[in-house]
Amino acid sequence: AQTVTQSQPEMSVQEAETVTLSCTYDTSESDYYLFWYKQPPSRQMILVIRQEAYKQQNATENRFSVNFQKAAKSFSLKISDSQLGDAAMYFCAYRSERTDKLIFGTGTRLQVFP
Amino acid sequence: NAGVTQTPKFRVLKTGQSMTLLCAQDMNHEYMYWYRQDPGMGLRLIHYSVGEGTTAKGEVPDGYNVSRLKKQNFLLGLESAAPSQTSVYFCASSYLRTGIVPGELFFGEGSRLTVL
């Protein structure tokens, strides 16, 4: 069975600085998709970025980028130029290409200080 | 455009009572998922469906049943509620995989269930 691990329950960053959130996963599959979701206090889940496992190039969305290391089964999220609005819970997620099962990690709470 | 709608938003149950959470999506999505969110546990997959008439177990299926009789609806049932099922429940849907990169989940707003 696949698992997703986020080893940092909480992180903090100063406004305008850069922060990296860690995620590792375990799978025997070769084809899958990885995601980062953001959950602000409103509880709404928002897709931040996604990565196809067959793509070697790391995904980038504006201030958000990932470091995808397939062999190490690592998928970290880097937030550059952090803003107060980035404060939220961040969840890493894995989707199986074979079964379409989509599972999440336990989340990292990010605080952003002015 | 409603997106994904969950009803009810809040519910308090007594141990042993039954109830059904309804998830409705108007985006013609094939895939639908039920998760529960608990502090420190993240979102855990209960059951999911890859199409009308199909369901599959997730990570924590015990104590729950689901049905997908219509493509737009995914029902989550608790036959005999227990305090351990106190949680916030999220429904999500996503579009068909073929020809399209899968994955963006569209979430409902969540349903807070308390079992006394």
Side-chain angles (χ1 to χ4, degrees):
Chain A
Q2 297 87 20
T3 58
V4 177
T5 301
Q6 293 180 249
S7 59
Q8 305 156 317
E10 293 189 358
M11 292 284 284
S12 61
V13 64
Q14 205 83 27
E15 199 175 7
E17 297 296 310
T18 295
V19 65
T20 298
L21 308 183
S22 300
C23 173
T24 58
Y25 58 95
D26 188 31
T27 183
S28 58
E29 299 177 337
S30 58
D31 295 323
Y32 49 87
Y33 302 86
L34 298 166
F35 307 88
W36 279 97
Y37 279 87
K38 169 185 177 182
Q39 187 182 42
S42 66
R43 234 167 52 181
Q44 183 65 35
M45 296 289 287
I46 302 165
L47 176 66
V48 174
I49 199 165
R50 68 179 145 204
Q51 174 82 42
E52 293 90 340
Y54 60 84
K55 289 188 177 179
Q56 292 185 336
Q57 186 174 5
N58 289 325
T60 300
E61 290 285 344
N62 301 313
R63 298 183 296 107
F64 300 88
S65 61
V66 298
N67 183 4
F68 173 48
Q69 302 288 330
K70 191 172 184 179
K73 296 179 183 174
S74 171
F75 183 61
S76 60
L77 174 69
K78 185 171 82 170
I79 306 174
S80 304
D81 186 25
S82 297
Q83 301 175 358
L84 295 177
D86 294 334
M89 281 289 288
Y90 285 82
F91 293 99
C92 179
Y94 169 102
R95 179 168 182 157
S96 167
E97 166 75 7
R98 183 175 61 85
T99 67
D100 291 308
K101 180 183 288 189
L102 201 157
I103 60 174
F104 287 81
T106 52
T108 296
R109 181 173 300 282
L110 177 66
Q111 293 181 304
V112 182
F113 294 104
Chain B
N1 193 352
V4 179
T5 303
Q6 294 180 226
T7 53
K9 298 285 192 297
F10 302 93
R11 184 74 187 271
V12 178
L13 287 176
K14 294 182 180 178
T15 297
Q17 285 186 317
S18 63
M19 75 157 295
T20 300
L21 291 171
L22 169 63
C23 177
Q25 52 94 4
D26 61 2
M27 296 171 284
N28 202 34
H29 285 172
E30 289 292 331
Y31 305 122
M32 297 188 75
Y33 301 81
W34 274 109
Y35 294 91
R36 59 177 289 175
Q37 184 175 20
D38 304 289
M41 306 288 285
L43 282 87
R44 291 181 291 171
L45 180 63
I46 304 171
H47 287 280
Y48 68 107
S49 169
V50 300
E52 181 179 321
T54 72
T55 62
K57 292 181 179 179
E59 302 169 278
V60 289
D62 294 342
Y64 304 95
N65 56 75
V66 288
S67 65
R68 184 96 182 270
L69 298 179
K70 294 183 178 180
K71 186 177 183 180
Q72 64 268 34
N73 295 337
F74 195 29
L75 278 64
L76 177 70
L78 287 71
E79 289 188 348
S80 180
S84 61
Q85 295 178 303
T86 293
S87 187
V88 178
Y89 291 85
F90 284 94
C91 177
S93 69
S94 73
Y95 40 72
L96 183 63
R97 174 162 51 92
T98 305
I100 303 172
V101 175
E104 179 173 3
L105 288 180
F106 292 79
F107 282 84
E109 295 180 339
S111 298
R112 183 176 292 279
L113 175 64
T114 301
V115 184
L116 302 176

Tab-separated table of all heavy atoms in Angstrom, chain A residues 33 35 37 39 43-45 47 50 52 91 95 97 99-106, chain B residues 31 33 35 37 42-43 45 48 90 94-95 97 101-105 107 109-110 112:
chain	number	residue	atom	x	y	z
A	33	TYR	N	0.945	10.325	-9.657
A	33	TYR	CA	0.912	11.789	-9.666
A	33	TYR	C	1.045	12.266	-8.227
A	33	TYR	O	0.542	11.627	-7.295
A	33	TYR	CB	-0.408	12.292	-10.260
A	33	TYR	CG	-0.649	11.801	-11.659
A	33	TYR	CD1	-1.246	10.562	-11.878
A	33	TYR	CD2	-0.261	12.547	-12.763
A	33	TYR	CE1	-1.450	10.088	-13.159
A	33	TYR	CE2	-0.467	12.077	-14.052
A	33	TYR	CZ	-1.063	10.845	-14.236
A	33	TYR	OH	-1.250	10.375	-15.504
A	35	PHE	N	0.838	15.796	-5.583
A	35	PHE	CA	0.189	17.099	-5.465
A	35	PHE	C	0.548	17.738	-4.128
A	35	PHE	O	0.848	17.063	-3.151
A	35	PHE	CB	-1.342	16.955	-5.506
A	35	PHE	CG	-1.854	16.184	-6.680
A	35	PHE	CD1	-1.968	14.815	-6.617
A	35	PHE	CD2	-2.226	16.837	-7.837
A	35	PHE	CE1	-2.431	14.080	-7.701
A	35	PHE	CE2	-2.694	16.115	-8.923
A	35	PHE	CZ	-2.798	14.744	-8.852
A	37	TYR	N	-1.598	20.434	-1.737
A	37	TYR	CA	-2.835	21.171	-1.513
A	37	TYR	C	-2.652	22.082	-0.313
A	37	TYR	O	-1.956	21.761	0.643
A	37	TYR	CB	-4.004	20.224	-1.251
A	37	TYR	CG	-4.613	19.633	-2.498
A	37	TYR	CD1	-4.102	18.472	-3.051
A	37	TYR	CD2	-5.699	20.244	-3.120
A	37	TYR	CE1	-4.649	17.920	-4.195
A	37	TYR	CE2	-6.254	19.703	-4.273
A	37	TYR	CZ	-5.721	18.547	-4.800
A	37	TYR	OH	-6.269	18.016	-5.939
A	39	GLN	N	-4.748	24.267	2.647
A	39	GLN	CA	-6.024	24.412	3.343
A	39	GLN	C	-5.940	25.592	4.311
A	39	GLN	O	-5.398	25.473	5.403
A	39	GLN	CB	-6.400	23.138	4.090
A	39	GLN	CG	-7.798	23.202	4.694
A	39	GLN	CD	-8.157	21.960	5.483
A	39	GLN	OE1	-7.349	21.430	6.227
A	39	GLN	NE2	-9.392	21.482	5.314
A	43	ARG	N	-11.032	26.227	5.574
A	43	ARG	CA	-11.189	24.778	5.383
A	43	ARG	C	-11.267	24.363	3.915
A	43	ARG	O	-11.295	23.177	3.615
A	43	ARG	CB	-12.440	24.276	6.131
A	43	ARG	CG	-12.181	23.139	7.072
A	43	ARG	CD	-13.328	22.884	8.008
A	43	ARG	NE	-14.615	22.720	7.354
A	43	ARG	CZ	-15.737	22.513	8.041
A	43	ARG	NH1	-15.719	22.464	9.337
A	43	ARG	NH2	-16.887	22.397	7.413
A	44	GLN	N	-11.330	25.329	3.023
A	44	GLN	CA	-11.391	25.000	1.605
A	44	GLN	C	-10.062	24.440	1.133
A	44	GLN	O	-9.008	24.976	1.464
A	44	GLN	CB	-11.736	26.264	0.794
A	44	GLN	CG	-11.893	26.046	-0.691
A	44	GLN	CD	-13.070	25.148	-1.039
A	44	GLN	OE1	-14.089	25.172	-0.383
A	44	GLN	NE2	-12.907	24.353	-2.071
A	45	MET	N	-10.076	23.386	0.378
A	45	MET	CA	-8.858	22.770	-0.150
A	45	MET	C	-8.530	23.380	-1.507
A	45	MET	O	-9.386	23.438	-2.392
A	45	MET	CB	-9.042	21.264	-0.295
A	45	MET	CG	-9.266	20.537	1.011
A	45	MET	SD	-7.792	20.456	2.021
A	45	MET	CE	-6.834	19.251	1.125
A	47	LEU	N	-5.705	23.453	-4.720
A	47	LEU	CA	-4.554	22.836	-5.365
A	47	LEU	C	-3.451	23.879	-5.550
A	47	LEU	O	-3.687	24.951	-6.090
A	47	LEU	CB	-4.948	22.265	-6.724
A	47	LEU	CG	-3.816	21.668	-7.547
A	47	LEU	CD1	-3.254	20.429	-6.864
A	47	LEU	CD2	-4.289	21.339	-8.962
A	50	ARG	N	1.092	20.372	-9.021
A	50	ARG	CA	1.065	18.940	-9.250
A	50	ARG	C	2.242	18.515	-10.126
A	50	ARG	O	2.784	19.307	-10.887
A	50	ARG	CB	-0.237	18.495	-9.890
A	50	ARG	CG	-0.440	18.980	-11.306
A	50	ARG	CD	-1.758	18.469	-11.867
A	50	ARG	NE	-2.359	19.469	-12.747
A	50	ARG	CZ	-3.653	19.532	-13.008
A	50	ARG	NH1	-4.477	18.680	-12.472
A	50	ARG	NH2	-4.118	20.450	-13.809
A	52	GLU	N	3.651	15.089	-12.517
A	52	GLU	CA	3.504	13.736	-13.052
A	52	GLU	C	4.812	12.995	-12.836
A	52	GLU	O	5.879	13.534	-13.140
A	52	GLU	CB	3.173	13.793	-14.551
A	52	GLU	CG	1.816	14.383	-14.863
A	52	GLU	CD	1.845	15.894	-15.069
A	52	GLU	OE1	2.812	16.542	-14.617
A	52	GLU	OE2	0.909	16.425	-15.659
A	91	PHE	N	-0.884	20.037	2.480
A	91	PHE	CA	-0.950	18.581	2.391
A	91	PHE	C	-0.297	18.098	1.110
A	91	PHE	O	-0.578	18.609	0.021
A	91	PHE	CB	-2.409	18.103	2.405
A	91	PHE	CG	-3.115	18.342	3.707
A	91	PHE	CD1	-3.944	19.436	3.870
A	91	PHE	CD2	-2.958	17.454	4.765
A	91	PHE	CE1	-4.606	19.650	5.078
A	91	PHE	CE2	-3.621	17.657	5.960
A	91	PHE	CZ	-4.439	18.761	6.119
A	95	ARG	N	-1.446	10.133	-6.029
A	95	ARG	CA	-2.542	9.491	-6.744
A	95	ARG	C	-1.991	8.357	-7.591
A	95	ARG	O	-1.096	8.564	-8.411
A	95	ARG	CB	-3.278	10.476	-7.629
A	95	ARG	CG	-4.436	9.838	-8.415
A	95	ARG	CD	-5.303	10.878	-9.047
A	95	ARG	NE	-6.436	10.266	-9.751
A	95	ARG	CZ	-7.575	10.904	-10.024
A	95	ARG	NH1	-7.721	12.166	-9.657
A	95	ARG	NH2	-8.544	10.292	-10.662
A	97	GLU	N	-1.782	5.853	-10.549
A	97	GLU	CA	-2.212	5.787	-11.942
A	97	GLU	C	-3.050	4.534	-12.180
A	97	GLU	O	-3.952	4.519	-13.000
A	97	GLU	CB	-0.964	5.775	-12.837
A	97	GLU	CG	-1.195	5.388	-14.279
A	97	GLU	CD	-1.844	6.492	-15.096
A	97	GLU	OE1	-2.009	7.620	-14.578
A	97	GLU	OE2	-2.195	6.234	-16.258
A	99	THR	N	-4.930	2.623	-9.812
A	99	THR	CA	-6.201	2.459	-9.092
A	99	THR	C	-6.989	3.757	-8.921
A	99	THR	O	-8.136	3.726	-8.513
A	99	THR	CB	-5.963	1.883	-7.690
A	99	THR	OG1	-5.249	2.863	-6.904
A	99	THR	CG2	-5.167	0.594	-7.743
A	100	ASP	N	-6.363	4.884	-9.180
A	100	ASP	CA	-6.969	6.204	-8.967
A	100	ASP	C	-7.206	6.516	-7.494
A	100	ASP	O	-7.865	7.508	-7.170
A	100	ASP	CB	-8.268	6.370	-9.753
A	100	ASP	CG	-8.008	6.433	-11.241
A	100	ASP	OD1	-7.162	7.258	-11.643
A	100	ASP	OD2	-8.621	5.659	-11.994
A	101	LYS	N	-6.672	5.684	-6.623
A	101	LYS	CA	-6.754	6.000	-5.200
A	101	LYS	C	-5.872	7.225	-4.936
A	101	LYS	O	-4.751	7.317	-5.448
A	101	LYS	CB	-6.256	4.824	-4.377
A	101	LYS	CG	-6.302	5.044	-2.876
A	101	LYS	CD	-5.719	3.855	-2.131
A	101	LYS	CE	-6.617	2.651	-2.186
A	101	LYS	NZ	-6.145	1.568	-1.292
A	102	LEU	N	-6.364	8.155	-4.161
A	102	LEU	CA	-5.624	9.381	-3.888
A	102	LEU	C	-5.530	9.548	-2.378
A	102	LEU	O	-6.545	9.717	-1.706
A	102	LEU	CB	-6.325	10.596	-4.520
A	102	LEU	CG	-5.457	11.821	-4.754
A	102	LEU	CD1	-6.048	12.692	-5.847
A	102	LEU	CD2	-5.266	12.643	-3.497
A	103	ILE	N	-4.307	9.529	-1.849
A	103	ILE	CA	-4.118	9.600	-0.407
A	103	ILE	C	-3.258	10.806	-0.042
A	103	ILE	O	-2.457	11.289	-0.843
A	103	ILE	CB	-3.494	8.308	0.147
A	103	ILE	CG1	-2.127	8.061	-0.498
A	103	ILE	CG2	-4.420	7.129	-0.061
A	103	ILE	CD1	-1.391	6.888	0.118
A	104	PHE	N	-3.458	11.269	1.198
A	104	PHE	CA	-2.801	12.477	1.675
A	104	PHE	C	-1.850	12.180	2.827
A	104	PHE	O	-1.991	11.184	3.544
A	104	PHE	CB	-3.848	13.475	2.179
A	104	PHE	CG	-4.649	14.130	1.100
A	104	PHE	CD1	-5.731	13.481	0.525
A	104	PHE	CD2	-4.331	15.410	0.658
A	104	PHE	CE1	-6.476	14.087	-0.479
A	104	PHE	CE2	-5.080	16.025	-0.339
A	104	PHE	CZ	-6.150	15.361	-0.907
A	105	GLY	N	-0.906	13.070	3.015
A	105	GLY	CA	-0.079	13.060	4.203
A	105	GLY	C	-0.812	13.722	5.353
A	105	GLY	O	-1.954	14.178	5.209
A	106	THR	N	-0.136	13.808	6.500
A	106	THR	CA	-0.780	14.345	7.703
A	106	THR	C	-0.761	15.867	7.767
A	106	THR	O	-1.401	16.459	8.623
A	106	THR	CB	-0.118	13.784	8.960
A	106	THR	OG1	1.285	13.994	8.869
A	106	THR	CG2	-0.414	12.289	9.109
B	31	TYR	N	-14.772	10.565	-11.082
B	31	TYR	CA	-14.211	10.112	-9.819
B	31	TYR	C	-14.755	10.902	-8.649
B	31	TYR	O	-14.843	12.123	-8.707
B	31	TYR	CB	-12.686	10.268	-9.823
B	31	TYR	CG	-12.013	9.573	-10.975
B	31	TYR	CD1	-11.222	10.281	-11.866
B	31	TYR	CD2	-12.152	8.207	-11.149
B	31	TYR	CE1	-10.594	9.646	-12.925
B	31	TYR	CE2	-11.529	7.564	-12.203
B	31	TYR	CZ	-10.757	8.277	-13.080
B	31	TYR	OH	-10.144	7.644	-14.112
B	33	TYR	N	-14.676	10.936	-4.132
B	33	TYR	CA	-13.947	10.452	-2.960
B	33	TYR	C	-14.607	10.967	-1.677
B	33	TYR	O	-15.128	12.081	-1.641
B	33	TYR	CB	-12.501	10.973	-2.974
B	33	TYR	CG	-11.697	10.583	-4.191
B	33	TYR	CD1	-11.823	11.278	-5.391
B	33	TYR	CD2	-10.783	9.534	-4.130
B	33	TYR	CE1	-11.073	10.919	-6.509
B	33	TYR	CE2	-10.027	9.168	-5.239
B	33	TYR	CZ	-10.179	9.864	-6.418
B	33	TYR	OH	-9.432	9.502	-7.518
B	35	TYR	N	-13.368	11.607	2.301
B	35	TYR	CA	-12.277	11.653	3.249
B	35	TYR	C	-12.813	12.087	4.611
B	35	TYR	O	-13.830	12.758	4.708
B	35	TYR	CB	-11.216	12.687	2.831
B	35	TYR	CG	-10.479	12.354	1.561
B	35	TYR	CD1	-10.946	12.793	0.331
B	35	TYR	CD2	-9.304	11.615	1.606
B	35	TYR	CE1	-10.263	12.482	-0.842
B	35	TYR	CE2	-8.609	11.305	0.433
B	35	TYR	CZ	-9.103	11.747	-0.762
B	35	TYR	OH	-8.414	11.446	-1.923
B	37	GLN	N	-11.221	14.150	8.066
B	37	GLN	CA	-10.079	14.933	8.518
B	37	GLN	C	-10.126	15.056	10.020
B	37	GLN	O	-11.103	15.560	10.585
B	37	GLN	CB	-10.053	16.331	7.888
B	37	GLN	CG	-8.813	17.124	8.282
B	37	GLN	CD	-8.711	18.458	7.581
B	37	GLN	OE1	-9.689	18.997	7.080
B	37	GLN	NE2	-7.509	19.008	7.525
B	42	GLY	N	-4.365	14.366	9.199
B	42	GLY	CA	-4.525	14.732	7.803
B	42	GLY	C	-5.876	14.277	7.266
B	42	GLY	O	-6.840	14.108	8.019
B	43	LEU	N	-5.934	14.073	5.978
B	43	LEU	CA	-7.141	13.564	5.336
B	43	LEU	C	-6.933	12.083	5.055
B	43	LEU	O	-5.958	11.701	4.412
B	43	LEU	CB	-7.425	14.287	4.016
B	43	LEU	CG	-8.049	15.657	4.127
B	43	LEU	CD1	-6.988	16.717	4.284
B	43	LEU	CD2	-8.900	15.965	2.903
B	45	LEU	N	-8.565	8.619	3.406
B	45	LEU	CA	-9.534	8.186	2.414
B	45	LEU	C	-10.420	7.077	2.985
B	45	LEU	O	-9.926	6.049	3.456
B	45	LEU	CB	-8.796	7.684	1.165
B	45	LEU	CG	-9.642	7.182	0.012
B	45	LEU	CD1	-10.520	8.300	-0.548
B	45	LEU	CD2	-8.738	6.620	-1.084
B	48	TYR	N	-13.929	5.426	-2.238
B	48	TYR	CA	-13.947	6.228	-3.436
B	48	TYR	C	-14.660	5.482	-4.558
B	48	TYR	O	-14.978	4.291	-4.423
B	48	TYR	CB	-12.533	6.661	-3.839
B	48	TYR	CG	-11.609	5.563	-4.313
B	48	TYR	CD1	-11.265	5.430	-5.652
B	48	TYR	CD2	-11.036	4.672	-3.400
B	48	TYR	CE1	-10.386	4.446	-6.077
B	48	TYR	CE2	-10.169	3.678	-3.813
B	48	TYR	CZ	-9.843	3.575	-5.144
B	48	TYR	OH	-8.972	2.588	-5.561
B	90	PHE	N	-14.995	15.282	4.158
B	90	PHE	CA	-14.879	15.991	2.894
B	90	PHE	C	-15.179	15.050	1.738
B	90	PHE	O	-14.689	13.928	1.688
B	90	PHE	CB	-13.468	16.551	2.698
B	90	PHE	CG	-13.180	17.774	3.499
B	90	PHE	CD1	-12.577	17.682	4.745
B	90	PHE	CD2	-13.513	19.035	3.008
B	90	PHE	CE1	-12.307	18.814	5.494
B	90	PHE	CE2	-13.245	20.176	3.747
B	90	PHE	CZ	-12.643	20.065	4.994
B	94	SER	N	-13.154	14.455	-9.249
B	94	SER	CA	-12.223	14.857	-10.299
B	94	SER	C	-12.660	14.257	-11.613
B	94	SER	O	-13.444	13.310	-11.653
B	94	SER	CB	-10.780	14.466	-9.967
B	94	SER	OG	-10.583	13.079	-10.109
B	95	TYR	N	-12.103	14.811	-12.687
B	95	TYR	CA	-12.584	14.440	-14.008
B	95	TYR	C	-11.944	13.156	-14.502
B	95	TYR	O	-10.997	12.644	-13.924
B	95	TYR	CB	-12.356	15.578	-14.999
B	95	TYR	CG	-11.036	16.287	-14.834
B	95	TYR	CD1	-9.830	15.696	-15.200
B	95	TYR	CD2	-10.998	17.564	-14.305
B	95	TYR	CE1	-8.628	16.343	-15.038
B	95	TYR	CE2	-9.796	18.234	-14.135
B	95	TYR	CZ	-8.617	17.619	-14.504
B	95	TYR	OH	-7.427	18.280	-14.330
B	97	ARG	N	-9.890	10.387	-16.387
B	97	ARG	CA	-8.454	10.349	-16.600
B	97	ARG	C	-8.072	10.318	-18.068
B	97	ARG	O	-7.127	10.949	-18.483
B	97	ARG	CB	-7.869	9.144	-15.876
B	97	ARG	CG	-6.422	8.894	-16.118
B	97	ARG	CD	-5.871	7.979	-15.044
B	97	ARG	NE	-6.689	6.794	-14.887
B	97	ARG	CZ	-6.475	5.672	-15.537
B	97	ARG	NH1	-5.518	5.605	-16.416
B	97	ARG	NH2	-7.234	4.614	-15.304
B	101	VAL	N	-4.723	14.883	-18.014
B	101	VAL	CA	-3.950	14.647	-16.803
B	101	VAL	C	-4.904	14.662	-15.623
B	101	VAL	O	-5.614	15.626	-15.420
B	101	VAL	CB	-2.868	15.728	-16.617
B	101	VAL	CG1	-2.148	15.537	-15.281
B	101	VAL	CG2	-1.882	15.681	-17.766
B	102	PRO	N	-4.925	13.606	-14.859
B	102	PRO	CA	-5.910	13.547	-13.793
B	102	PRO	C	-5.455	14.359	-12.610
B	102	PRO	O	-4.327	14.826	-12.548
B	102	PRO	CB	-5.936	12.069	-13.430
B	102	PRO	CG	-4.540	11.638	-13.679
B	102	PRO	CD	-4.063	12.444	-14.866
B	103	GLY	N	-6.329	14.458	-11.693
B	103	GLY	CA	-5.855	14.813	-10.388
B	103	GLY	C	-6.390	16.005	-9.729
B	103	GLY	O	-6.550	15.935	-8.540
B	104	GLU	N	-6.709	17.105	-10.387
B	104	GLU	CA	-7.149	18.163	-9.511
B	104	GLU	C	-8.459	17.749	-8.880
B	104	GLU	O	-9.433	17.465	-9.569
B	104	GLU	CB	-7.337	19.498	-10.233
B	104	GLU	CG	-7.834	20.578	-9.280
B	104	GLU	CD	-7.879	21.954	-9.891
B	104	GLU	OE1	-7.572	22.090	-11.089
B	104	GLU	OE2	-8.229	22.895	-9.155
B	105	LEU	N	-8.459	17.697	-7.577
B	105	LEU	CA	-9.679	17.385	-6.844
B	105	LEU	C	-10.451	18.669	-6.574
B	105	LEU	O	-9.867	19.684	-6.203
B	105	LEU	CB	-9.365	16.729	-5.506
B	105	LEU	CG	-8.856	15.292	-5.518
B	105	LEU	CD1	-8.616	14.831	-4.100
B	105	LEU	CD2	-9.816	14.370	-6.224
B	107	PHE	N	-13.158	20.017	-4.069
B	107	PHE	CA	-13.649	19.625	-2.756
B	107	PHE	C	-14.951	20.326	-2.400
B	107	PHE	O	-15.185	21.477	-2.792
B	107	PHE	CB	-12.625	19.972	-1.675
B	107	PHE	CG	-11.481	19.005	-1.595
B	107	PHE	CD1	-10.393	19.129	-2.440
B	107	PHE	CD2	-11.492	17.975	-0.670
B	107	PHE	CE1	-9.328	18.244	-2.363
B	107	PHE	CE2	-10.431	17.092	-0.576
B	107	PHE	CZ	-9.351	17.224	-1.429
B	109	GLU	N	-17.281	21.715	0.933
B	109	GLU	CA	-16.900	22.570	2.055
B	109	GLU	C	-16.725	21.811	3.363
B	109	GLU	O	-16.332	22.377	4.365
B	109	GLU	CB	-17.949	23.668	2.236
B	109	GLU	CG	-18.018	24.634	1.058
B	109	GLU	CD	-19.052	25.710	1.271
B	109	GLU	OE1	-19.970	25.520	2.090
B	109	GLU	OE2	-18.952	26.757	0.597
B	110	GLY	N	-17.044	20.552	3.348
B	110	GLY	CA	-16.883	19.752	4.563
B	110	GLY	C	-18.175	19.643	5.357
B	110	GLY	O	-19.018	20.543	5.329
B	112	ARG	N	-19.276	18.684	9.314
B	112	ARG	CA	-18.796	18.390	10.667
B	112	ARG	C	-19.792	17.489	11.363
B	112	ARG	O	-20.949	17.873	11.563
B	112	ARG	CB	-18.586	19.675	11.467
B	112	ARG	CG	-18.014	19.418	12.859
B	112	ARG	CD	-17.723	20.718	13.582
B	112	ARG	NE	-16.630	21.457	12.974
B	112	ARG	CZ	-15.349	21.219	13.180
B	112	ARG	NH1	-14.981	20.240	14.000
B	112	ARG	NH2	-14.430	21.966	12.590
